[in-house]
Amino acid sequence: MNYKERPLCDEKESIMKQSKESPFCESTDKTHMHEKSGLNNDSTQKSVYRQAFSQPGDDLYWQWLCSCPILTRNEILALIQYFGSPRGVYEAPLSAMAPFQKLRQKWVRSLISYKESCSLEKSADLLHQKGMKFCHPDDSPFPQKLKALVDCPHGLFYKGNLPDPDVLSVAVIGARRCSHYGAKMAAYLGAQLARYKVQVISGMAAGIDGMAQRACIEEGGRSFAVLGSGADICYPPENSRLYRSLPDSGGIISEFGPATPPLPSHFPIRNRLICGLADAVIVVEARKKSGSLITVDLALDQGKDVYAVPGRFGDELSYGCNHLIEQGAGILTSVEQFVEEVCQRNGLTYTPAENENRYMDSNDDHACSRHSRAPSSLTQVEQLIFEKLELDAKGIDQLLEETGLTMTQLTEGILNLQVRNAVQEVSRNRYARSSITLS
C-alpha cells in the first residue's frame, strides 16, 4: 500500500514520542522510525543491548526488570544504560538510585518499592504459577520480526506459543462495535485464513478482532492475541472463552508484566506488535477516527502490506476501509488471491486450500453462522426460527414464509430469542442471529 496521503493519528504520534524520548538516555532522542522500514539504526542503543546481553545467566534478571510495574521501555533502557545490565539494576543498592530520585518521578519510587518487595525468585515463581513464559531479544524464541523494530520490546510474556516464523502471519483488525456485515466478514476471513494454514494475529478485542480469532481457532487454525494488559489478564472479560482457548491453539502475548491492568494508554503501544508480528494487515471495518488506522499507520512504517475489506457507501463503519482503498490499500475480494500475493512477497510457500471459492460469496454463511450457536433448551418454535435465521438479516415476511408459523408464534418466538441474546434486530423488522458470542 502506498498512500497518496497518510492518515494522521494523535495516538500514533504519542507512541513515536515515547519511542524517541527518554529523560535519561540521549541515545533514544536519535531514534526514529523510517517509513517503510521500521528498522533500528541507533548505534548507541544497540551497543547498550550488546553489553547487557553479553552477560550469561541474565535471563531471570531481564524477566524481573520487565515485570516491574509502571516502567516503560525507555525507562528500562535508561536503567540498563546507567547500570550496565538488568543484573546491575537488581544488585544496585538503593542509594545508587539517588540520581533518578532527584527527578521526583513516580516510576522511580515504584522501582524502589519493587526492589524491596520482589526478589528474583519471587518474580520467577509468580510467572510459573500463572503458566507464563518469558523471552528477551537475545533468546532464540524471540520473534525475529520484532527485533527489527525501532521500538523493539525488551521482553515478551506469553502463554502457549509464539508465531512460527516460517508460516504466513496476517493481522485481522477492525471496529469493536462492528456491524452485522463486519462480524460476518471477520468470521469468514478467520475461517478461510485457517484453511490456508495462515496464522491470525489480533488483539482479542470485542468485535472484529475476537470474531476473526474465534473463527480461526474453530476451523482448526492458529491464532495469537497481543494484549494491552498482562498476559494473565483476560480483557475484555466477555472474551474469556476465546482467552482460554488461545494457549492451546496459538498463544497470548504481551510486553507488559503479569498483573498489569489494561490501561487505555497501553493499547496504541501494543498495536505496533500486532502489525510487527504480521506479514500483512487486513482491516475489516473502521470509523474515521479509529485505533485500527493507528495500526495501519504503524504497519506502513514497518513496510507491511495493508488490505481493506470494502464497505458500504455512506456507512460510518465503512469510512476507514473505503478511505484506505482510496489511498492505495489492497482491496480484499479473494482470500485465495490475497494469500498467494502475500506469500510471494514474503518468500513463503503458497499452498492452496481445499474447497475454497475464489471470491467471497455473501450468501455463504457456513464459515460464520456456526459461530453463533443456539442456546440450550429452546422450544420447538424458537429452534425453528433460529435455524432459519443466519448472519444475513431476514424480514418478517420472509420468516413467515420459511417457517410456516403464524404471526403471533413468530413474534413471540423472536422476542424470546432476543431476551436470550440469540437474535438481534439489525434494522426495523429485520432479524439475524447474534453474531458475537465469545463468552
Side-chain angles (χ1 to χ4, degrees), residues 126-134 156-163 222-225 227 230-234 243-254 258:
L126 176 63
L127 207 67
H128 179 73
Q129 292 170 11
K130 291 179 177 291
M132 295 165 60
K133 291 171 274 188
F134 174 82
L156 294 177
F157 299 88
Y158 61 101
K159 286 187 171 186
N161 298 286
L162 296 170
R222 288 168 58 81
S223 184
F224 299 84
L227 304 187
D232 58 327
I233 294 179
C234 176
Y243 177 85
R244 291 192 300 270
S245 66
L246 278 165
D248 294 328
S249 304
I252 300 169
I253 305 167
S254 177

Side-chain angles (χ1 to χ4, degrees), residues 295-308:
T295 309
V296 166
D297 216 16
L298 293 168
L300 291 171
D301 286 329
Q302 296 172 11
K304 304 300 173 68
D305 293 319
V306 175
Y307 288 75

Side-chain angles (χ1 to χ4, degrees), residues 245-273:
S245 66
L246 278 165
D248 294 328
S249 304
I252 300 169
I253 305 167
S254 177
E255 68 178 304
F256 302 106
T260 301
L263 302 178
S265 60
H266 291 172
F267 293 94
I269 296 171
R270 70 89 192 260
N271 287 351
R272 81 191 195 284
L273 302 188

Side-chain angles (χ1 to χ4, degrees), residues 124 195 201 287 316 363 404 412 424 432:
R195 293 174 187 175
I201 314 291
R287 290 180 169 83
E316 182 183 2
N363 295 316
E412 287 181 355
Q424 58 182 334

Side-chain angles (χ1 to χ4, degrees), residues 60-112:
L60 289 179
Y61 293 95
W62 274 104
Q63 175 193 308
W64 173 85
L65 183 58
C66 291
S67 297
C68 179
I70 296 184
L71 288 183
T72 68
R73 65 174 303 280
N74 282 322
E75 289 155 0
I76 291 175
L77 182 62
L79 288 165
I80 292 172
Q81 186 175 21
Y82 188 82
F83 291 103
S85 69
R87 184 196 291 263
V89 179
Y90 181 81
E91 295 179 347
L94 295 180
S95 59
M97 293 290 165
F100 298 94
Q101 284 180 298
K102 292 178 182 179
L103 296 164
R104 298 180 180 178
Q105 296 209 10
K106 184 178 180 181
W107 73 265
V108 181
R109 296 193 299 271
S110 296
L111 176 60
I112 292 173

